[in-house]
Amino acid sequence: MASLKRLLIGSPMETKRLKHEKLPKWKALAVFSSDALSSVAYATEEILLVLMLLGTSVFFYSLPIAVAILVLLLLVTLSYRQIIYAFPSGGGAYVVAREHLNPTVSLVAGAALMIDYVLTVAVSISSGVAALTSAFPGLLPWKVEIAVALVLLLMILNLRGITESATVFAYPTYLFIISVLTLIVVGGWQLWHEGWHGFNYREHASAAHFFASGYSMFILLRAFASGCSAMTGVEAISNGVPAFKPDSSKNAAITMGWMSLLLGTMFLGITVLAAGFGVTPLEHKTVISQIGHHVFGNSIFFYLFQMITMFILVLAANTSFAGFPQLVSIIANDRFLPRSLSARGDRLVFSNGIILLSILAIVLIVAFHGETHSLIPLYAVGVFLSFTIGQSGLLKKIWKEKEKRNITTLVTVMAGTIVTGLVTMITVVAKFTQGAWLVIVAIPLLVWMFYRIHDHYEKLGEQLKLDEQEWTRRKKMLKPKVIIPISGVSKVVAQSVQYARSISNDITAISVIFYEEEEQKLREKWEKFYPDIPLHVIYSPYRTILSPILDYINEMEKQANGSPITILMPQFIVKKWWHALLHNQTAIILRFFLIMKKDIVIATLPYHLKE
């Protein structure tokens, strides 16, 4: 197993190498922004899918919706650049709320972000597989299996380390950016020369007609909420600031600016092309695939574009593999999650967080059968809730700092807080029946779990705290009574008896027999070697071993009246693993039952066989 681990993730790294495992801006853009950038592959389609409820005549309204989303993206980017400078330790909305709001609100932000990261992996992988099956429909029956395999592949790549995985993911990300910008330029040139032949509201539906019913307004808001999936992953850079090379805050802020500019350009460009070409969502044929086919035809460039899109959608999940482990390590350090999530693995990454994320994402993919449109309604609630909480905390911080207060920054953050708050409410209402209620239920459950974990650690700390008076009393502890369970007299038992004599003068051997005539033979052999150590023999007419031993130990525990008892279990260790299958594992089972007892120490003394 150790050899397999080395083969898959590489040799362990020394702790002092951590400072070299920092990312330059061009690699960080690929690691932390692949989710946001890749969302352009499905965000426009999500808008059109909702607008379809009113017919294709209203598809032109995808353009003003896209512009509204870009304004929101600008506000959030400006606010989160401030968060990056104010909180260089990372953690994003969770840390901001922890420092400037209250613990419960910060945990809500943490829960929302954790859910979002898991959904990011599930949605990105499922979207990547959808892009693949759009070009190769024969793979449709295997989409869930392909998605699970891709999650496992990403898990292994990320377990290999930050720098190594960043190099792998950088090139496909930039290839996707170049291919999408090429698609927009070539498609724009075609529209310029061929003319706009898509959906035009002047010809199909007037504004008065569209806004005539309240239901139409609701559909418009719902389309806006669905299109906001383009902003998922925007906060990832603020969560992972420590992963950047020094000056980490400055480099993270610059990278966030690059990411927002590229995201806005690509999202608006694809939305314009979809409207200009009159693209409508089709089953098993993505909108971006249809645009690619319209621009590149049935050439090799179309299939190349599809493959690149698939790769970036799969690698978009890497944003979560970078952000989720960082976030849960911070929450774990605050003792709201298991401490194991805060520990770095062999390759200086938070291995347990990476593995946990992979497991949760696979569960979602299997549960929703790898359907992107089933997963996306769960998606944006947590994102915008964390946006709102993070900006609220930042707003409170700026308001407190009267000397450093900047009116422009204050107004920007306040506007961002209000708008993201409204988007959160719109998203909850618009997507509630589609599955958003699951996230709304999951967040308080996670917060409840956080507090239960924290209470456990608090109580543990109180119980393990040692004062001077208690230490003085502990130093006067008596030597323990030692009980040695045996099945016969052998070298294994001899070793245990020798060790028992070194720690105590009160030693008793215990043996369970199935036939009464065995007792005399056992006693004769025992007294020949150990006449000074009493042997307690228990007859078990029903051929059980555990119950008689446990009953005897319980009786000794009552008689000891709080004094320590050590159960010293002789055990031989076989040379080959399969030899263990040939022997009873009574010692292991007995240990399992005794470990919960208060005043009993369980010790195993191994005797290693040579052959």
Side-chain angles (χ1 to χ4, degrees):
M1 289 301 293
S3 300
L4 179 62
K5 184 179 178 182
R6 295 285 77 79
L7 176 66
L8 292 176
I9 69 172
S11 302
M13 293 180 175
E14 294 183 63
T15 305
K16 64 183 180 182
R17 284 191 59 182
L18 183 59
K19 62 183 179 181
H20 301 295
E21 290 289 296
K22 302 293 183 180
L23 300 174
K25 294 188 289 293
W26 71 275
K27 282 189 178 181
L29 179 68
V31 171
F32 289 104
S33 303
S34 53
D35 173 28
L37 296 177
S38 69
S39 64
V40 301
Y42 53 79
T44 300
E45 182 169 1
E46 291 304 312
I47 295 173
L48 297 179
L49 280 168
V50 177
L51 292 178
M52 275 186 73
L53 296 172
L54 294 175
T56 57
S57 61
V58 299
F59 273 18
F60 189 84
Y61 287 96
S62 61
L63 293 176
I65 290 173
V67 172
I69 291 171
L70 292 184
V71 172
L72 182 59
L73 173 63
L74 176 63
L75 291 172
V76 171
T77 301
L78 293 174
S79 295
Y80 268 77
R81 279 172 60 89
Q82 296 297 320
I83 290 175
I84 287 169
Y85 283 113
F87 300 92
S89 61
Y94 170 76
V95 174
V96 176
R98 184 190 66 188
E99 298 297 326
H100 296 285
L101 296 175
N102 62 64
T104 301
V105 176
S106 71
L107 291 174
V108 169
L113 284 171
M114 286 175 62
I115 291 171
D116 176 54
Y117 279 134
V118 175
L119 284 167
T120 294
V121 177
V123 170
S124 298
I125 296 291
S126 299
S127 297
V129 175
L132 180 65
T133 54
S134 291
F136 305 100
L139 295 175
L140 268 173
W142 304 96
K143 63 180 182 180
V144 173
E145 290 81 359
I146 294 170
V148 170
L150 290 172
V151 173
L152 294 175
L153 177 62
L154 279 179
M155 180 187 76
I156 292 170
L157 288 173
N158 277 277
L159 288 173
R160 292 188 66 87
I162 297 174
T163 303
E164 190 167 333
S165 62
T167 304
V168 173
F169 300 136
Y171 300 108
T173 302
Y174 285 106
L175 194 58
F176 175 73
I177 293 170
I178 293 168
S179 64
V180 171
L181 292 178
T182 303
L183 178 77
I184 292 170
V185 170
V186 176
W189 183 84
Q190 290 178 359
L191 285 179
W192 179 267
H193 285 273
E194 298 173 11
W196 187 281
H197 48 274
F199 303 102
N200 192 318
Y201 75 98
R202 290 190 181 92
E203 298 175 5
H204 298 282
S206 65
H209 173 267
F210 183 80
F211 291 108
S213 69
Y215 182 71
S216 297
M217 174 60 82
F218 176 75
I219 293 298
L220 184 65
L221 292 174
R222 185 169 153 188
F224 172 73
S226 294
C228 284
S229 58
M231 292 182 58
T232 55
V234 168
E235 81 293 335
I237 292 175
S238 68
N239 288 332
V241 177
F244 285 77
K245 283 189 172 181
D247 179 3
S248 58
S249 293
K250 181 181 177 181
N251 288 333
I254 292 171
T255 306
M256 188 157 198
W258 291 352
M259 180 268 297
S260 296
L261 181 61
L262 287 168
L263 172 59
T265 302
M266 293 192 296
F267 174 56
L268 182 61
I270 288 174
T271 306
V272 169
L273 291 181
F277 292 138
V279 174
T280 59
L282 299 174
E283 190 176 5
H284 306 316
K285 196 77 171 177
T286 61
V287 165
I288 196 170
S289 170
Q290 294 179 64
I291 295 172
H293 193 271
H294 195 287
V295 173
F296 299 123
N298 206 32
S299 66
I300 186 67
F301 295 105
F302 166 70
Y303 290 99
L304 184 61
F305 178 73
Q306 283 299 103
M307 292 301 295
I308 293 170
T309 303
M310 185 207 70
F311 276 123
I312 189 61
L313 284 168
V314 170
L315 296 183
N318 195 61
T319 296
S320 291
F321 280 99
F324 182 91
Q326 291 272 357
L327 175 65
V328 297
S329 73
I330 294 171
I331 299 175
N333 278 324
D334 291 339
R335 300 195 295 182
F336 287 103
L337 279 174
R339 289 176 179 172
S340 59
L341 293 172
S342 66
R344 292 185 183 271
D346 289 355
R347 301 286 292 181
L348 299 177
V349 292
F350 297 106
S351 304
N352 293 328
I354 291 170
I355 294 169
L356 175 63
L357 174 62
S358 304
I359 293 170
L360 294 176
I362 287 172
V363 169
L364 270 183
I365 289 170
V366 173
F368 287 87
H369 308 291
E371 291 290 342
T372 307
H373 302 310
S374 299
L375 289 163
I376 281 183
L378 314 178
Y379 206 12
V381 176
V383 181
F384 281 94
L385 180 58
S386 64
F387 283 163
T388 305
I389 292 173
Q391 290 178 110
S392 299
L394 180 62
L395 188 63
K396 187 174 182 180
K397 178 182 183 297
I398 294 171
W399 188 259
K400 285 179 180 178
E401 298 172 346
K402 295 181 179 180
E403 302 81 8
K404 301 178 182 178
R405 190 185 301 166
N406 183 294
I407 297 300
T408 304
T409 304
L410 183 65
V411 171
T412 302
V413 176
M414 186 179 295
T417 305
I418 294 169
V419 175
T420 54
L422 289 172
V423 173
T424 303
M425 290 187 285
I426 291 169
T427 305
V428 169
V429 173
K431 297 185 174 184
F432 188 83
T433 56
Q434 293 179 290
W437 65 270
L438 286 170
V439 178
I440 297 167
V441 170
I443 289 174
L445 286 176
L446 276 176
V447 172
W448 173 80
M449 183 191 74
F450 291 153
Y451 273 117
R452 290 297 301 270
I453 292 171
H454 191 266
D455 288 344
H456 167 74
Y457 282 130
E458 289 290 309
K459 290 174 183 176
L460 180 68
E462 285 297 319
Q463 292 177 77
L464 296 181
K465 187 178 179 181
L466 184 63
D467 56 33
E468 188 176 345
Q469 184 178 3
E470 185 177 8
W471 171 239
T472 303
R473 187 171 70 253
R474 293 277 182 182
K475 286 196 294 186
K476 298 177 181 178
M477 182 181 289
L478 299 173
K479 286 188 175 182
K481 174 180 180 61
V482 178
I483 299 174
I484 308 175
I486 67 168
S487 59
V489 181
S490 64
K491 290 182 179 179
V492 186
V493 174
Q495 179 182 259
S496 299
V497 170
Q498 186 179 4
Y499 178 78
R501 282 175 168 160
S502 70
I503 62 172
S504 176
N505 297 321
D506 186 358
I507 305 169
T508 302
I510 177 175
S511 183
V512 177
I513 61 171
F514 297 157
Y515 304 99
E516 292 180 336
E517 56 268 23
E518 293 176 354
E519 180 177 356
Q520 186 60 32
K521 295 179 182 178
L522 179 62
R523 285 193 180 279
E524 287 177 359
K525 197 169 186 180
W526 179 262
E527 289 172 2
K528 178 180 178 182
F529 290 96
Y530 312 110
D532 57 324
I533 297 177
L535 171 64
H536 184 78
V537 179
I538 303 173
Y539 171 56
S540 177
Y542 298 104
R543 299 162 304 285
T544 61
I545 296 176
L546 286 175
S547 296
I549 292 178
L550 289 172
D551 290 342
Y552 177 78
I553 291 172
N554 288 336
E555 186 62 33
M556 291 298 101
E557 187 181 15
K558 291 177 184 177
Q559 294 178 16
N561 196 25
S563 296
I565 297 176
T566 296
I567 310 300
L568 185 59
M569 293 184 287
Q571 185 176 357
F572 60 83
I573 308 299
V574 294
K575 188 72 174 175
K576 297 178 180 179
W577 67 268
W578 60 270
H579 288 175
L581 302 175
L582 306 177
H583 303 280
N584 294 328
Q585 303 298 327
T586 308
I588 296 173
I589 300 171
L590 185 60
R591 173 186 291 275
F592 175 79
F593 282 99
L594 292 175
I595 196 69
M596 301 302 293
K597 289 190 170 292
K598 182 180 177 182
D599 295 314
I600 289 182
V601 177
I602 307 110
T604 301
L605 196 62
Y607 182 88
H608 291 268
L609 300 177
K610 296 179 180 178
E611 296 181 2

